[in-house]
Amino acid sequence: MTDSKVFQIIAMDGGAAVGKSSTSKALAERLDLMHVDTGAHYRTLTFALLNAGAAPEAEHEIESFLKSLKLETMLQERSARLSVNGQIPEDHEIRSPQVNANVSKIAAIPAVRKSLFNYQRAQAKVAREAGFAGLIMEGRDIGSVIFPDADHRFFLDADEATRAARRAKEGLTDSIADRDKMDKARKTAPLICPEGATRVDTGHRTLEEVVNYICSLIQIQA
Ligand code: C5P
């Protein structure tokens, strides 16, 4: 088997607080994958735009501002982080109530999505060159738009009460239902369960059970 056959791409989609990040990080550890959180990409751009004083409605202004940004990748262990003009914002900056309230509006702008498309696709090359066995990318449109050709595509879901409890436990102010509504309703790359993707209910399983279950599916599908 050649190296390119062994390298695996796993797409992990789902709404807010369904457990995408914990599941993806645990799978990355177990399967020696590079992990990319594309929610953090949209949050980072939202943070940069808000700092620059751009209003989410000012699409033309946003488009030219995006062109002035240099997007690069910095590897922190197995996590590939987006840096903008050489800076990676702190976690508390990209997960603030202000970013939570604006990120879905910014993510619905086609120019914003376009500015990340090639960058996100190129993460497969970053992972290969860094010697990982594959790439796991989490988001809303990974299995539908970014890697419709991924080796494995999963869509995580959980009941509303479990998701709200998860956010409350993290102590975050985040209107997850509003974000999901906007993410599902937008015209460009809406949040959907891509056709052919495997739906996984994370609401009634522990993290370990979810990870074991997905690993068993990956082995079957391999
Ligand atoms: O995953 P997280 O909740 O951090 O994502 C924040 C927001 O970024 C989402 O609510 C969505 O608006 C946007 N997003 C997106 N496409 C992705 C990942 C995130 O539109 N692939």
Side-chain angles (χ1 to χ4, degrees), residues 40 62 67 79 124 202 210:
I62 287 178
K67 287 188 181 136
S79 163
T202 65
V210 172

Side-chain angles (χ1 to χ4, degrees), residues 78-111:
R78 57 181 65 256
S79 163
R81 307 289 305 271
L82 167 67
S83 79
V84 172
N85 297 338
Q87 304 271 336
I88 302 177
E90 298 285 334
D91 242 40
H92 70 88
E93 293 174 313
I94 64 167
R95 298 184 194 280
S96 68
Q98 207 201 0
V99 170
N100 283 340
N102 285 285
V103 64
S104 290
K105 284 180 228 160
I106 300 280
I109 300 171

Side-chain angles (χ1 to χ4, degrees), residues 68-199:
S68 73
L69 302 180
K70 190 167 182 211
L71 307 186
E72 288 172 305
T73 303
M74 286 186 198
L75 256 184
Q76 293 178 341
E77 298 180 3
R78 57 181 65 256
S79 163
R81 307 289 305 271
L82 167 67
S83 79
V84 172
N85 297 338
Q87 304 271 336
I88 302 177
E90 298 285 334
D91 242 40
H92 70 88
E93 293 174 313
I94 64 167
R95 298 184 194 280
S96 68
Q98 207 201 0
V99 170
N100 283 340
N102 285 285
V103 64
S104 290
K105 284 180 228 160
I106 300 280
I109 300 171
V112 172
R113 306 202 73 83
K114 199 172 155 214
S115 74
L116 285 172
F117 180 83
N118 288 334
Y119 173 82
Q120 290 173 347
R121 288 274 306 171
Q123 294 302 302
K125 188 165 177 260
V126 174
R128 268 179 214 277
E129 287 179 356
F132 289 101
L135 164 71
I136 185 159
M137 186 174 279
E138 56 164 299
R140 303 292 188 290
D141 62 340
I142 310 308
S144 56
V145 175
I146 306 299
F147 288 115
D149 48 354
D151 300 280
H152 308 281
R153 296 180 302 157
F154 296 100
F155 187 85
L156 305 191
D157 208 355
D159 57 277
E160 206 61 50
T162 307
R163 298 165 62 191
R166 278 189 189 138
R167 274 298 186 266
K169 206 169 150 198
E170 290 164 5
L172 298 172
T173 314
D174 189 1
S175 186
I176 54 178
D178 290 345
R179 281 205 286 128
D180 275 1
K181 207 167 147 194
M182 267 190 265
D183 293 341
K184 283 179 187 162
R186 71 178 172 228
K187 289 208 177 84
T188 313
L191 165 64
I192 50 158
C193 175
E195 214 186 311
T198 306
R199 232 175 224 279

